[in-house]
Amino acid sequence: MAEWYWSENSMEMPCEEDMLGQYGDDVSESDWELPIGWKCPPVIGLRFMKGEEVQIPSAGDRVVVLEYWGLHCQPCIEAIPHMNEIQAKHYERGLRIVSLTLDRVGPSDVSRFVKKHGMECSVALINHGRYEAEIFKSSTGSCGVPFAMVIDKKGIVRYAGHPMDEGFEPMIEECLGEENRPPVPLPLISESKDELMEKSEEKLLQILLIRRIPVNGGDGKKQMVRSILAKCTDTVYYE
């Protein structure tokens, strides 16, 4: 039976109350929920400690698994050989597994853990910025780890749950068997500065993130408008 790790010391995936406390009232329910069937927002601000740096979601040719774990999580440790096996089995077909720790620890702690337990997937630290809040919440509302999401070639979340559950690998195989999606060009931004300033911060943020343009947690509306005007009016980006 798949087991979860639960903690009272903020060593697990944040719950709704934790996130609202960390990010303030600006984060609404739509900011942190990510149900199955929704398009995964671009995940930015990751610091890769091991392995290939993976674009999340992919550009149309890869299936990506986001796995959340904790250093003090025994079920996470027990799942490592399983994740290594799945990565090796499906790597050539385009599977990439990115293991993310939500622990508030330094890179050296993560490096020692990765080496000790023989993690073979890409491993990254999360930048706990306001704009990465969307990826933290599971479709079931669970705050336990290990927790994994399967994101298909179209960027759609197809599985969200324990990586040892019986439905995890079959969903990966199903997604890998689907045809690659050709890149889709995004439209150039034609609005003026004044028109952009009338949009909400959420709409401006969406314009930038879908084009994978870095956004700092402290960027306000004016800074986002400047970035859009400088980078999105004459350069074609692809979804």
Side-chain angles (χ1 to χ4, degrees):
M1 177 184 297
E3 294 183 354
W4 301 89
Y5 170 76
W6 306 85
S7 170
E8 297 178 356
N9 299 313
S10 299
M11 299 298 288
E12 74 288 330
M13 231 168 71
C15 303
E16 173 186 358
E17 293 81 6
D18 298 329
M19 291 191 59
L20 292 178
Q22 181 177 355
Y23 298 108
D25 295 335
D26 289 334
V27 179
S28 65
E29 181 173 331
S30 62
D31 290 322
W32 50 258
E33 283 190 339
L34 191 57
I36 293 173
W38 279 28
K39 187 173 181 64
C40 180
V43 179
I44 60 176
L46 296 183
R47 178 177 180 180
F48 282 85
M49 304 295 300
K50 174 183 173 61
E52 176 183 353
E53 294 192 8
V54 179
Q55 178 178 302
I56 309 169
S58 88
D61 58 346
R62 291 178 176 176
V63 174
V64 178
V65 170
L66 286 182
E67 181 208 13
Y68 300 92
W69 56 276
L71 271 72
H72 303 279
C73 165
Q74 185 60 34
C76 298
I77 295 172
E78 294 171 356
I80 290 173
H82 175 65
M83 300 301 286
N84 288 346
E85 180 182 353
I86 288 178
Q87 174 72 98
K89 180 179 178 181
H90 300 292
Y91 184 88
E92 294 299 327
R93 295 181 63 196
L95 175 67
R96 297 295 183 270
I97 297 177
V98 180
S99 293
L100 309 176
T101 177
L102 298 177
D103 290 350
R104 275 61 168 178
V105 294
S108 59
D109 296 309
V110 175
S111 295
R112 284 193 295 269
F113 182 92
V114 168
K115 183 176 181 179
K116 177 180 179 179
H117 297 288
M119 297 181 72
E120 297 175 3
C121 307
S122 294
V123 178
L125 290 172
I126 290 178
N127 171 13
H128 290 275
R130 169 186 168 192
Y131 298 132
E132 284 74 50
E134 295 98 325
I135 68 173
F136 291 156
K137 191 67 178 178
S138 80
S139 63
T140 60
S142 170
C143 295
V145 287
F147 177 84
M149 293 191 298
V150 177
I151 304 166
D152 69 14
K153 299 173 184 179
K154 297 180 181 179
I156 305 299
V157 179
R158 300 279 291 276
Y159 175 94
H162 200 292
M164 299 289 283
D165 283 349
E166 61 181 13
F168 176 61
E169 187 172 7
M171 180 53 70
I172 290 174
E173 293 175 342
E174 179 179 327
C175 292
L176 288 171
E178 295 169 351
E179 293 184 3
N180 292 347
R181 178 177 66 94
V184 177
L186 294 166
L188 294 174
I189 300 300
S190 59
E191 289 97 331
S192 67
K193 177 180 179 181
D194 291 339
E195 289 171 330
L196 289 171
M197 287 297 294
E198 292 178 358
K199 295 180 180 292
S200 66
E201 285 194 19
E202 289 72 20
K203 292 292 186 183
L204 298 175
L205 178 62
Q206 184 179 20
I207 291 173
L208 292 167
L209 289 186
I210 199 172
R211 290 165 175 80
R212 294 183 171 82
I213 297 173
V215 179
N216 295 319
D219 284 354
K221 178 179 285 190
K222 290 183 178 180
Q223 181 58 46
M224 287 192 283
V225 167
R226 283 196 290 267
S227 294
I228 291 170
L229 291 174
K231 301 176 181 180
C232 304
T233 58
D234 56 6
T235 301
V236 176
Y237 294 85
Y238 291 84
E239 184 176 350

